[in-house]
Amino acid sequence: MADNARAKRLADLIREVVAQKLQRGIKDPRLGSHVTITDTRVTGDLREATVFYTVYGDDEERAAAAAGLESAKGVLRSAVGAAAGVKFTPTLTFVADALPDTARTIEDLLDKARQSDEKVREVSAGAKYAGEADPYRKPGAEDETDGDTAE
């Protein structure tokens, strides 16, 4: 079993090789310049690599890019094998990265929270305290209930 540092180095190499090959070596119009390789993970035995990617565009372009990556899988694996020089070239699995969608959801939730905070700020602008301005007892001030002692 390989150590984690070797798996990390191989993952970094795979990410670089796949990104360069997509940019310069593959002429598939479905893969244009709108596909970005975001991350790569390699299993501990260096047999399988998962390549995460994002696509700039709508759902139709994402589906076309996924089909293009699947069709170019063999060429990309050959390029990785030539660059890595390992005994067994890992099999490549392409997975659409959910990070942009998650970030968009978080931004929407933060916007809703900001709007809610603004509404609370507007409502509380002219509000007054329910009791006295300073509701705490002061030392030396007489309390009406202390005068009634049971003897």
Side-chain angles (χ1 to χ4, degrees):
M1 182 162 215
D3 60 351
N4 288 337
R6 185 172 179 200
K8 177 71 174 140
R9 284 194 311 268
L10 183 60
D12 291 341
L13 177 71
I14 290 171
R15 186 180 69 239
E16 291 174 14
V17 169
V18 169
Q20 287 176 358
K21 193 71 173 171
L22 285 176
Q23 186 178 14
R24 295 191 184 104
I26 296 182
K27 304 297 182 199
D28 192 343
R30 299 175 289 185
L31 296 176
S33 62
H34 54 275
V35 176
T36 304
I37 303 301
T38 57
D39 192 19
T40 305
R41 295 189 185 144
V42 177
T43 58
D45 61 356
L46 306 179
R47 295 286 182 165
E48 298 176 10
T50 304
V51 180
F52 294 93
Y53 67 94
T54 58
V55 179
Y56 181 73
D58 58 0
D59 290 335
E60 183 179 312
E61 290 175 346
R62 288 184 188 123
L69 286 170
E70 283 300 315
S71 70
K73 188 183 286 190
V75 174
L76 295 172
R77 186 172 180 221
S78 297
V80 167
V86 292
K87 184 176 182 180
F88 180 82
T89 303
T91 58
L92 301 178
T93 304
F94 292 97
V95 176
D97 199 352
L99 185 65
D101 295 333
T102 305
R104 191 174 312 112
T105 303
I106 290 173
E107 284 298 322
D108 291 343
L109 291 172
L110 288 174
D111 286 340
K112 287 180 184 177
R114 285 186 199 105
Q115 291 172 357
S116 175
D117 287 349
E118 186 59 36
K119 287 179 185 177
V120 168
R121 217 173 283 120
E122 289 173 3
V123 168
S124 66
K128 297 181 181 177
Y129 290 105
E132 301 173 11
D134 189 11
Y136 300 104
R137 294 183 192 171
K138 307 274 189 287
E142 292 185 25
D143 192 8
E144 294 91 30
T145 60
D146 287 344
D148 300 333
T149 58
E151 289 184 38

